[in-house]
Amino acid sequence: MKKWVKKLFVGLGILLVIILLANFGLNIWLKTQLPKYIKNNTDYKVSYKSMEVDLMSGNILATKISVNSKNPQNINVIGLQGTIDTLKISRFGIYDALFNKQISSSDLLLSRPNLNVILAKPIDDKTGKKRNPVSFENIRINDGNISIFRHTKQKFLSVEDLYLYVENLQLTEESVENKLPVVFDKYDIRGKNFFVRPDDVYALKINSIRTSDGQMSVENFQLIPVLDFDQFKKYYPKKNKLFQFVIRKMEFKDLVLKKNNVSLAHANFYEPNLLIYTTDVNPVKAKKPSDFEINLENVKLNNATVQIMKPNGNKLLYAKNLNVDVSQLKFDKETRQELIPVGYKNFQISGKDVLFSNHQDFNFASINLSPKKGEIRNISVVPNSTSAGKTSMNLLVDYIGFNINKWDFTDKKMNLDVKDILVSRIKGKITAGTAQIKNNKKSDTSGIQFPILIRKVVLQNSDITYSKNNQPLTFNDLNATVNDIQLVSKKDNSGIEAKIDKYTISTKNFVYKTQFYNMTAGFLKLDQNNVNITGFAMKPLVSRAQFIKMIPVERDLYDITANQISANGSWNLFADQKSINASNVTIRNADANIFRSKIPKDDPKEKPLYSRMLRSIKIPMVVNNLNLKDSKLVYEEDTPESAGPGKLTFSNFNMNVKNLNSAKIKGRPTRVDIKINCSFMNLAPLSVNWNFDVADLGDHFTISGRTTNLPATGINPFIRPYLHVTATGTIQEMLFNFRGNPKGLNGKFNLKHKDLKVAILDKENKEKKGFLTAVANLLVKSDSGKLPEDVDVKDVERDPTKSFFNLFWKGIEQGLKKTLIGINIDKAKKTADKAVSTAKNVKDGVKDMKQSAKEIGQAAKKDNHEKTPEKQAETGKEEKKGFLKGIFKKKEKPETE
């Protein structure tokens, strides 16, 4: 053997002997001197029954250990107090412990520890100075009872009967405040009566935890506030939510806690009960976004209960029997920037007896939701105590279902494409709010990717009443289908508007009640190209006498029916930019009665002409042809002096209106032409042509017409009660042609008549006033001749507070006066006034003349027996002088009434 080999073995042998002696000596030193050394050189006092140290491996085995902090008031180091039955440390860092004051080990075994641990004060981030850390790669605890306190002596964590194995455990208050309170890679745990106090508001309690083959089971999990709600609002005025969370049982697998990340798989939560109290405080935005992340492979909530309370103590949301199944749920830096701050692959949510309450209560008997579809059954919506002045609903809904083509979030914007929505059997009432709500704040739609698409909406078999200002609008057996809805942002970013291409709406027994009317329709059907209404009626709810008492100024009372109303064309009634472009609108078999009383005061408001009224319509509107067919129009009017209402009747009424418009569609003609053919007073044909241009700001118009063979008795139903006059004879032809504007009208009038006579009646319309009748007939031309000349209707001034038809009848009236009385109207008027004055004088002298007439009569009778033919001839001359006396005698009875 070579010398160097021999020397090597000798050296190794000596080294081995030295190590053995050193290890033996160290163990003797540890048994006798280590407690004293620890006491003198560390912050702890330690005693033990036995201790063995392997200097080569760094393994330490100690039994019956007792440890106490030398200075319990020193908050800069971890405080320890308690006992450990057995301590085993593998690969203990002796050098670091002696010279760097850092306790570290690859493995730590604590058997039956009974310890109180007081965490050191958190690190001073400004100085970066580190406290004395404790670091173990792996830790095992058997049958331990451990309590951990903050440096303030407030309990942070405690557990009993703990059996634990973890890898890379980290437990410092730095972790608690900035990341997670406990961090590890792998774990195996069993224990009971867990307690964690993460902050000054909440405490976490767990009855027991156990693991088996990577599966963890947690019994009776409780996150409860240590303050009541009033204390919470007092001490934390800037926080807006207080939580309480109780779970009967939790099961999950593969739990990983690493830095700021929590991940686990197959988590099941049984009978979780979440209670959230809210305040009126606006949430304070965090200065620095949280880095906290959650990754849950599969999460299930079984038979959960969720309650969210309003600040006043009432429920905002309540749901029970709630079941949730979510796969690949995550919350991280990316998802928290989205509109919904969590990500998922799929979810399924179901629940029963769900309540949501704002200013009214929404109750859902059952609800089922997933990313692709949803169903809600047996819904009720009722107002609550906060509904006053707001739009509210009182509804029952059997079913709401929907299917979704696409729902995702990209670049912080929501994309939504709904395949269809079905709503079945809505029953109830919607009442419009009366409160004036001012909202100048523009809606924030930055989180939505427009357009939102809704391919189809179907409403089935519903009975809905919409009421505004106590005027209910009722749809019975309402069915609707709406296709291809696009929700887009308004141009001024004030909200969202809908664009609708196709829709169909139908309803039976339609009813709309106003203050004075009940409007009904047997059937109504509407789509984007057609309207069909049958059995329409607009009936007064009050009598004429009641109506007169209820209105402050003159107003028409209508009673209208129509067998059918139909229209075709195209129109957009749902968008902000509404429009009507109809080809034809037809009203068949209408029966309209219009009643106006002159008893109320005149309405002082200016009455615009029809061209201006059409021009004031805000939406673009064109109706190529409006037809009123086979209809009847009755106009009745009474005055305080009239004996009942006067009546005008237009039967077999047919009207065509071409190009009815609002002058708001460029390139379309704006002239309106109206043609009317009817039977006037059921006796004579009447035709009218009328036109005006809606775009003409001067509101000029022309109206012309013709009627023939009208018996004068036909107008008696109107003039008899109104003017106390009747007429006989025939109006063979009447022609008129007027031009006008808002100031008045001018034109031509022609009347061909025969045997025209008038009779003036008393106020009761019973007896004829003979003398006034005679005077009137002296003034009226009874025959016009074969070819009467036109008369000029000039400078007929319009009263701007009266309607167009008031001006029109003024024109007819002037034409009649000039035709029947003569061209010089003023002269005729003076003559009539003089005749009336004469009649009064005559009436006063009639009584004096009666006796004279009687005496003359008696003398005449006597003379007839005594006179000779010569005398009789002389007497005849005297009788001629008394002719007017005979006339006045004949008129005596009427004149004395």
Side-chain angles (χ1 to χ4, degrees), residues 167-395:
E167 292 183 3
N168 293 328
L169 174 68
Q170 297 181 35
L171 183 62
T172 66
E173 196 160 350
E174 178 184 1
S175 298
V176 173
E177 295 191 347
N178 298 327
K179 305 293 182 182
L180 295 171
V182 179
V183 178
F184 50 78
D185 289 344
K186 293 182 180 180
Y187 70 96
D188 188 8
I189 185 172
R190 185 172 80 250
K192 64 181 182 180
N193 297 332
F194 284 81
F195 174 86
V196 179
R197 180 78 178 272
D199 54 29
D200 293 331
V201 178
Y202 298 101
L204 173 64
K205 296 180 180 181
I206 299 173
N207 278 11
S208 66
I209 298 177
R210 65 179 181 273
T211 59
S212 177
D213 299 326
Q215 181 81 23
M216 175 178 283
S217 177
V218 178
E219 300 284 346
N220 197 18
F221 173 96
Q222 300 178 65
L223 178 67
I224 56 176
V226 296
L227 306 173
D228 62 34
F229 189 48
D230 290 334
Q231 290 173 326
F232 174 76
K233 291 188 292 185
K234 178 180 179 181
Y235 295 116
Y236 299 93
K238 294 184 179 180
K239 292 186 177 182
N240 67 333
K241 289 183 179 67
L242 181 67
F243 298 89
Q244 180 175 310
F245 197 15
V246 177
I247 306 173
R248 184 181 64 81
K249 184 178 180 179
M250 293 191 299
E251 293 179 342
F252 47 86
K253 188 177 181 180
D254 302 331
L255 174 66
V256 176
L257 303 179
K258 189 176 182 180
K259 293 184 179 179
N260 62 336
N261 183 279
V262 176
S263 63
L264 54 86
H266 306 296
N268 283 280
F269 301 86
Y270 298 94
E271 299 179 22
N273 191 326
L274 174 62
L275 176 60
I276 302 175
Y277 296 92
T278 62
T279 71
D280 293 320
V281 177
N282 292 323
V284 179
K285 189 175 181 180
K287 295 180 180 179
K288 181 181 178 182
S290 172
D291 291 332
F292 194 70
E293 296 183 2
I294 298 177
N295 288 281
L296 308 178
E297 183 65 25
N298 293 288
V299 180
K300 291 184 179 180
L301 275 66
N302 301 281
N303 197 22
T305 299
V306 176
Q307 295 184 77
I308 302 176
M309 309 302 291
K310 297 178 182 178
N312 62 6
N314 295 329
K315 293 176 181 177
L316 173 64
L317 175 68
Y318 175 73
K320 64 180 183 179
N321 301 122
L322 191 64
N323 296 282
V324 180
D325 188 350
V326 184
S327 62
Q328 297 185 16
L329 178 69
K330 62 179 180 179
F331 175 83
D332 54 26
K333 292 180 179 179
E334 294 181 1
T335 62
R336 71 169 55 94
Q337 301 299 324
E338 300 293 345
L339 191 63
I340 296 180
V342 294
Y344 59 88
K345 182 179 180 181
N346 196 11
F347 69 82
Q348 183 72 41
I349 301 174
S350 65
K352 295 180 179 179
D353 299 327
V354 179
L355 164 69
F356 173 74
S357 177
N358 46 22
H359 65 276
Q360 49 193 24
D361 297 337
F362 295 81
N363 288 277
F364 311 105
S366 67
I367 182 170
N368 286 277
L369 301 174
S370 72
K372 291 297 183 181
K373 64 180 182 179
E375 290 183 337
I376 307 174
R377 297 181 184 275
N378 296 331
I379 304 149
S380 73
V381 185
V382 295
N384 57 35
S385 58
T386 62
S387 299
K390 301 176 182 178
T391 297
S392 61
M393 297 181 285
N394 196 332
L395 302 173

Side-chain angles (χ1 to χ4, degrees), residues 87 154 179 363 378 423 470 531 560 618 658 712 721 736 875 886:
L87 169 66
Q154 182 188 70
K179 305 293 182 182
N363 288 277
N378 296 331
V423 182
N470 294 318
V531 177
I560 302 172
K618 295 181 180 181
K658 291 189 179 297
F736 58 87
T875 305

Side-chain angles (χ1 to χ4, degrees), residues 298-525:
N298 293 288
V299 180
K300 291 184 179 180
L301 275 66
N302 301 281
N303 197 22
T305 299
V306 176
Q307 295 184 77
I308 302 176
M309 309 302 291
K310 297 178 182 178
N312 62 6
N314 295 329
K315 293 176 181 177
L316 173 64
L317 175 68
Y318 175 73
K320 64 180 183 179
N321 301 122
L322 191 64
N323 296 282
V324 180
D325 188 350
V326 184
S327 62
Q328 297 185 16
L329 178 69
K330 62 179 180 179
F331 175 83
D332 54 26
K333 292 180 179 179
E334 294 181 1
T335 62
R336 71 169 55 94
Q337 301 299 324
E338 300 293 345
L339 191 63
I340 296 180
V342 294
Y344 59 88
K345 182 179 180 181
N346 196 11
F347 69 82
Q348 183 72 41
I349 301 174
S350 65
K352 295 180 179 179
D353 299 327
V354 179
L355 164 69
F356 173 74
S357 177
N358 46 22
H359 65 276
Q360 49 193 24
D361 297 337
F362 295 81
N363 288 277
F364 311 105
S366 67
I367 182 170
N368 286 277
L369 301 174
S370 72
K372 291 297 183 181
K373 64 180 182 179
E375 290 183 337
I376 307 174
R377 297 181 184 275
N378 296 331
I379 304 149
S380 73
V381 185
V382 295
N384 57 35
S385 58
T386 62
S387 299
K390 301 176 182 178
T391 297
S392 61
M393 297 181 285
N394 196 332
L395 302 173
L396 295 175
V397 185
D398 278 6
Y399 176 84
I400 298 176
F402 58 86
N403 293 284
I404 297 176
N405 290 326
K406 182 181 180 182
W407 181 32
D408 60 24
F409 299 88
T410 305
D411 298 329
K412 302 180 184 180
K413 289 182 178 289
M414 178 184 71
N415 291 280
L416 181 59
D417 184 343
V418 179
K419 180 181 179 181
D420 54 53
I421 300 174
L422 172 62
V423 182
S424 180
R425 295 182 65 83
I426 300 178
K427 308 290 183 181
K429 183 177 182 180
I430 302 171
T431 304
T434 57
Q436 297 293 327
I437 300 174
K438 294 183 179 181
N439 186 7
N440 298 323
K441 184 179 179 180
K442 292 187 177 181
S443 301
D444 183 9
T445 58
S446 59
I448 301 175
Q449 181 64 54
F450 290 106
I452 294 175
L453 302 177
I454 304 175
R455 308 287 180 173
K456 187 176 184 179
V457 177
V458 178
L459 174 65
Q460 294 179 340
N461 306 324
S462 297
D463 300 326
I464 302 172
T465 297
Y466 176 79
S467 180
K468 185 176 183 179
N469 299 326
N470 294 318
Q471 297 185 166
L473 171 63
T474 300
F475 302 92
N476 292 301
D477 196 13
L478 177 64
N479 290 272
T481 300
V482 185
N483 297 93
D484 301 327
I485 303 172
Q486 293 188 47
L487 302 179
V488 299
S489 178
K490 293 182 179 179
K491 293 181 179 180
D492 60 357
N493 295 321
S494 61
I496 297 175
E497 66 174 311
K499 293 183 177 180
I500 299 174
D501 287 341
K502 298 179 181 179
Y503 57 88
T504 300
I505 301 171
S506 66
T507 181
K508 296 178 182 178
N509 300 321
F510 167 92
V511 180
Y512 179 45
K513 285 187 178 181
T514 65
Q515 182 183 10
F516 298 114
Y517 300 102
N518 185 42
M519 285 179 271
T520 61
F523 178 76
L524 182 152
K525 186 175 183 181

